[in-house]
Amino acid sequence: MREIINLQLEDIIEDNMGNYSQYVLLSRAIPSIEDGLKPVHRRILYTMHKNKIYGLTKSMRVEGAVTTYHPHGGSYPAMVGMTQTDTQFNQPITGKGNFAQHTSRDIQAGAPRYTEVKLSEFGKYLLADVDRKGVSFIPNYDGTETMPEFLPIKFPNLLTQNSKGIGVGMASNIYSFNLEELCDAMEKYIRTGEKTLLYPDLPTGGYIVKDDEAMESIQNTGRGAFTIVGKAEIDGNNIIISEIPFDTTREVIIEAIIDNHKKGKLKEVKSVHDITGNATMGIQVELKRGSDAEDVLKRIHTLTPLTLKHSFNMVTLSQGLPKLMGVYDILDGWIEWRKSVIKKGIQYKVEKIVAELNVLKGFGIIIQGNNLDEIITLVRNVKGDELLTKVMERFQLNKEQADYVINMQLKNINKDYIAKRLEQIQGMRKDKADLIEIWKSEELLNEEVISGFMEAKQKYGHKRKSEIKEIDLKATQAQVSKIVEDYSCSLTVTKDGYAYKSRRLGVDDIKLKDGDEVTFTIDKASNRGELLLFDNASKSAYKIKLDDIKETTSKNSLGVYIKSLTDGNDFSMPAYLDENVKYYLMQFDDRKTALIDARSFDTNTARKQVKNALSKKANLLEVLTIVDNCTVSVESDFKTVEFCTVDEIAKSKGSQGRFVNKTGKKWIGNKLIK
């Protein structure tokens, strides 16, 4: 008789989602501190190593072979990224055919049946010691094969790769550091404990804006942002853009230039062309005669993604668990792991030496006892297992020794061979002693670690491509902001996602669709301000410049559909941002309230989406825009709490805030009394 088990539906969903979340984070989305790879990249490389893909082979064939280890569908997109020269500095795979470009949105990679791949020299280097027992092997998904848990890479690969991963409730975003600078800093750190301040270095080049405070935050906490500016030069009446920020594309920049030209913000632009060739990348902006090219270039930097702010969120798998780590926390973890790899390798080598010494000892017993003739007679006259037994009993040998003697070829039984083999014993004993000494000495282990990554530096190091430069972005932003007409207006946003901006219409004058209602309004906004739209799903905010919202002049107009300005993304819960806004008061569904510094959303770049804008631990219920210090009432079904901005310390975006309702009861309904 079958047993009936009663379970709550929410418990089943919670258990299944928990298992799924764990699986995505540990097996797909987050790179490991040990070899810096996600599982799919590790499986691709090991497949190519095991199948000896050293010559160009159809990508489709390699992709098929990878399924032995990787059960999550096609691995070809990951393979494409591993071949692109503008994605990573060192490519583990060499490709033939069209593998697209990181700097292009519209150029797509050819299908795997048309392209070919092979392991590059760098890829071979990553796999060089994989069969020498330095790392553990684990079963594949169906238990039919084994694969390395990690690749025994000799340098902290995690910090030299550009890696992004989005799991369930957790994301990782790591940008590459320069291999030479990283190795030099690591050597100094191991020898002296001194930490060198490191800046990212990206394969698409550009200028990284010097900001030691931001870099220290990244180095110490694993979180922080840096700004990268594309490189351009003025050639007569043309602006030639030769390097663009990582993670944007030529098409996006060109479209932004055209869009701003139509709005009158770049009216001096005559034409813009993508002049990228096989070896170089470029965008040509032709200006009208008499234009101030330097001024136009400053505006292009500010109005387009030619200037971008990138955020680090260095979540990595450390000892199998996701963890936010700073640069030197990662190095500490990697160094300890690397020592364990070296120790396992030493153990493997010592075991081989011990086994070799064992058989040579048996060989010495036979030779030194002048028993060769008797051995030859036994081999000729006794067969099968009986021969092994007789040799073991007659000469007091163990099984391994007896096997070696019996299987020794007669042609090797001469004085020179015998002398050479016996001479090896002393050298092997010394090698064994040296290896054991390294095993026991922390100092010698450190030297082995240093030797490994300095070898990588010598072979695959490169000069910095993203030059570090002091740039006054605020001055440029202020200059460009003068282009936008400054006037006071009202701003209204509705539940269905329509925005109304007007100099003369009030909230009672606008036309609403049937069933729609006003959810947000501000009477005195500046046309130079921005509309912030928060999203609980992505924990992001989307910034729309009010100047980009067409003015509503007629009472019969339905305003502007916001989704048309957010690249199709769904966002809700509006707020307003300009230089006068001081704080946002955010209320979350876990009974916490946060006072957020408005300046943490003032990114001064062309990027519209602001990531990590909300607490990841709860959903936003309501947001209040605060222009000056005040006291706000936070009301629940049980009590009303006065929340004074003067008494609170404003936090940065993403903060979860503090408990305001301390009744211990879950809020059923709550609101900010404005």
Side-chain angles (χ1 to χ4, degrees):
M1 183 177 180
R2 293 183 178 179
E3 182 181 2
I4 297 175
I5 301 174
N6 293 317
L7 296 172
Q8 294 293 325
L9 179 60
E10 56 265 31
D11 293 335
I12 296 173
I13 294 173
E14 183 176 348
D15 290 343
N16 288 342
M17 280 304 299
N19 292 335
Y20 173 72
S21 302
Q22 181 184 29
Y23 178 73
V24 170
L25 290 172
L26 303 187
S27 300
R28 298 182 71 174
I30 310 297
S32 296
I33 193 174
E34 290 83 359
D35 59 8
L37 300 173
K38 295 180 184 179
V40 63
H41 301 112
R42 188 180 305 120
R43 291 162 184 170
I44 290 170
L45 291 175
Y46 183 66
T47 297
M48 296 180 76
H49 165 78
K50 188 169 184 182
N51 289 276
K52 296 181 172 56
I53 310 294
Y54 305 140
L56 287 169
T57 304
K58 280 289 185 185
S59 303
M60 184 170 57
R61 178 183 170 190
V62 177
E63 184 182 27
V66 173
T67 58
T68 301
Y69 305 100
H70 189 70
H72 308 302
S75 56
Y76 185 60
M79 209 180 299
V80 168
M82 296 166 79
T83 69
Q84 291 176 340
T85 58
D86 55 358
T87 299
Q88 311 290 355
F89 280 106
N90 294 301
Q91 297 76 45
I93 297 176
T94 298
K96 180 182 178 183
N98 175 22
F99 284 93
Q101 298 167 345
H102 185 75
T103 58
S104 175
R105 179 195 63 195
D106 297 341
I107 299 176
Q108 301 296 312
R113 63 184 180 273
Y114 298 126
T115 61
E116 298 175 75
V117 291
K118 67 176 181 178
L119 271 178
S120 68
E121 291 304 313
F122 178 67
K124 293 176 188 176
Y125 181 74
L126 298 181
L127 290 147
D129 296 330
V130 73
D131 298 319
R132 297 181 185 174
K133 311 301 181 184
V135 292
S136 302
F137 273 64
I138 57 176
N140 67 340
Y141 60 91
D142 61 0
T144 57
E145 297 283 348
T146 59
M147 57 185 175
E149 186 177 15
F150 307 108
L151 301 187
I153 299 176
K154 297 179 182 179
F155 62 95
N157 189 46
L158 178 69
L159 295 175
T160 66
Q161 301 290 303
N162 293 293
S163 175
K164 288 187 176 183
I166 300 175
V168 180
M170 190 172 292
S172 176
N173 199 22
I174 301 173
Y175 292 96
S176 60
F177 293 90
N178 182 277
L179 179 59
E180 288 190 359
E181 295 173 1
L182 180 64
C183 290
D184 289 340
M186 193 160 38
E187 181 182 19
K188 182 189 288 187
Y189 179 60
I190 291 174
R191 296 194 190 282
T192 69
E194 183 180 345
K195 298 178 180 179
T196 305
L197 186 62
L198 294 165
Y199 272 74
D201 188 20
L202 299 165
T204 54
Y207 297 111
I208 292 182
V209 178
K210 184 175 175 60
D211 187 345
D212 288 352
E213 185 178 349
M215 289 303 113
E216 285 175 0
S217 173
I218 292 167
Q219 193 153 287
N220 295 332
T221 69
R223 275 188 179 159
F226 68 98
T227 302
I228 187 162
V229 178
K231 287 186 180 181
E233 61 181 17
I234 296 169
D235 181 14
N237 221 37
N238 296 299
I239 295 173
I240 307 299
I241 300 170
S242 57
E243 295 179 5
I244 64 176
F246 192 77
D247 272 354
T248 191
T249 63
R250 308 189 298 273
E251 294 89 350
V252 170
I253 291 173
I254 290 170
E255 288 172 0
I257 292 173
I258 294 171
D259 185 50
N260 280 284
H261 169 75
K262 292 177 179 177
K263 293 176 180 177
K265 299 175 184 179
L266 291 172
K267 58 186 178 182
E268 297 91 342
V269 173
K270 183 178 180 181
S271 64
V272 57
H273 305 283
D274 187 344
I275 56 172
T276 301
N278 291 330
T280 59
M281 191 225 74
I283 298 171
Q284 179 184 15
V285 183
E286 184 182 359
L287 305 180
K288 297 174 182 176
R289 288 190 178 185
S291 300
D292 184 342
E294 289 189 5
D295 178 64
V296 175
L297 179 56
K298 287 179 181 179
R299 278 182 271 151
I300 289 174
H301 273 298
T302 305
L303 296 167
T304 77
L306 194 58
T307 296
L308 280 183
K309 181 168 280 192
H310 290 311
S311 296
F312 270 90
N313 187 40
M314 300 176 75
V315 174
T316 180
L317 293 181
S318 176
Q319 297 181 344
L321 295 174
K323 186 177 180 182
L324 177 66
M325 305 176 75
V327 171
Y328 282 91
D329 294 330
I330 289 173
L331 290 181
D332 284 336
W334 180 83
I335 290 167
E336 288 306 308
W337 170 78
R338 181 62 190 161
K339 287 179 182 177
S340 73
V341 172
I342 292 170
K343 281 188 169 184
K344 287 180 183 178
I346 288 174
Q347 182 178 353
Y348 173 66
K349 291 175 184 176
V350 168
E351 288 173 354
K352 284 189 70 176
I353 290 173
V354 168
E356 188 72 6
L357 286 172
N358 175 53
V359 298
L360 288 179
K361 181 180 177 182
F363 182 61
I365 292 172
I366 299 299
I367 297 301
Q368 292 164 4
N370 295 317
N371 297 310
L372 275 176
D373 291 339
E374 187 175 351
I375 285 289
I376 292 170
T377 301
L378 284 171
V379 169
R380 287 174 175 172
N381 296 305
V382 182
K383 304 298 180 184
D385 294 339
E386 185 182 353
L387 172 62
L388 183 65
T389 303
K390 279 187 175 293
V391 171
M392 290 172 63
E393 292 175 351
R394 170 67 183 85
F395 303 105
Q396 297 299 300
L397 304 180
N398 59 36
K399 183 177 181 301
E400 289 77 16
Q401 293 168 339
D403 264 335
Y404 178 79
V405 170
I406 291 170
N407 292 307
M408 188 170 54
Q409 295 183 3
L410 292 178
K411 68 179 181 179
N412 289 332
I413 304 177
N414 57 68
K415 289 183 179 180
D416 290 340
Y417 176 78
I418 292 169
K420 184 178 179 181
R421 292 297 282 160
L422 293 177
E423 283 174 5
Q424 290 177 346
I425 293 176
Q426 194 62 30
M428 287 169 32
R429 284 175 178 164
K430 184 179 183 307
D431 291 342
K432 176 185 171 186
D434 291 343
L435 289 168
I436 292 173
E437 186 180 0
I438 294 172
W439 173 285
K440 294 179 178 179
S441 169
E442 193 71 16
E443 183 178 348
L444 292 177
L445 276 173
N446 282 337
E447 290 301 321
E448 286 291 312
V449 172
I450 291 171
S451 174
F453 63 67
M454 294 308 280
E455 175 190 272
K457 171 193 168 183
Q458 183 179 4
K459 286 186 174 182
Y460 297 104
H462 49 84
K463 298 300 180 185
R464 168 169 285 277
K465 188 165 185 180
S466 298
E467 182 182 342
I468 301 166
K469 190 174 182 180
E470 292 189 1
I471 301 174
D472 189 353
L473 293 173
K474 290 185 178 180
T476 304
Q477 178 72 24
Q479 182 179 352
V480 171
S481 67
K482 296 176 183 177
I483 303 170
V484 178
E485 186 180 357
D486 188 18
Y487 58 83
S488 181
C489 58
S490 65
L491 177 66
T492 302
V493 181
T494 73
K495 181 182 69 175
D496 288 349
Y498 288 88
Y500 300 80
K501 182 187 76 173
S502 177
R503 304 189 206 198
R504 58 186 182 84
L505 297 178
V507 66
D508 296 329
D509 298 322
I510 63 175
K511 179 183 179 181
L512 298 178
K513 291 177 63 177
D514 290 342
D516 198 4
E517 62 185 52
V518 172
T519 57
F520 172 83
T521 185
I522 184 166
D523 294 329
K524 293 183 179 180
S526 168
N527 187 53
R528 291 181 178 174
E530 295 176 302
L531 176 65
L532 275 179
L533 297 165
F534 295 97
D535 175 48
N536 278 318
S538 65
K539 303 300 181 184
S540 301
Y542 209 91
K543 295 171 65 174
I544 301 174
K545 296 182 183 299
L546 262 63
D547 187 53
D548 291 337
I549 300 176
K550 186 178 179 181
E551 187 176 352
T552 304
T553 57
S554 169
K555 292 184 178 182
N556 295 321
S557 172
L558 283 175
V560 176
Y561 188 44
I562 292 177
K563 201 169 182 179
S564 66
L565 302 175
T566 62
D567 301 330
N569 291 302
D570 289 317
F571 288 85
S572 57
M573 279 172 279
Y576 172 68
L577 175 65
D578 69 9
E579 59 185 8
N580 297 314
V581 176
K582 284 190 174 182
Y583 311 112
Y584 296 110
L585 192 60
M586 295 184 175
Q587 196 169 25
F588 298 96
D589 62 3
D590 61 354
R591 297 182 290 115
K592 290 185 178 181
T593 299
L595 186 69
I596 305 297
D597 187 346
R599 298 283 69 78
S600 62
F601 292 96
D602 189 9
T603 55
N604 287 327
T605 71
R607 187 186 290 275
K608 293 181 179 180
Q609 189 172 359
V610 181
K611 297 182 180 179
N612 303 314
L614 298 174
S615 167
K616 291 183 170 60
K617 297 184 178 181
N619 287 325
L620 180 67
L621 293 175
E622 192 166 1
V623 57
L624 181 64
T625 302
I626 299 177
V627 176
D628 205 349
N629 284 315
C630 62
T631 299
V632 179
S633 296
V634 180
E635 183 184 77
S636 77
D637 289 348
F638 306 104
K639 65 188 298 186
T640 299
V641 179
E642 297 295 322
F643 194 97
C644 182
T645 60
V646 176
D647 298 333
E648 296 289 327
I649 298 175
K651 305 292 186 181
S652 182
K653 62 182 175 65
S655 172
Q656 59 182 315
R658 66 175 181 86
F659 285 106
V660 173
N661 174 21
K662 298 180 180 179
T663 62
K665 298 180 180 179
K666 185 177 179 181
W667 285 358
I668 299 173
N670 45 37
K671 64 179 179 178
L672 301 175
I673 302 176
K674 305 173 186 179

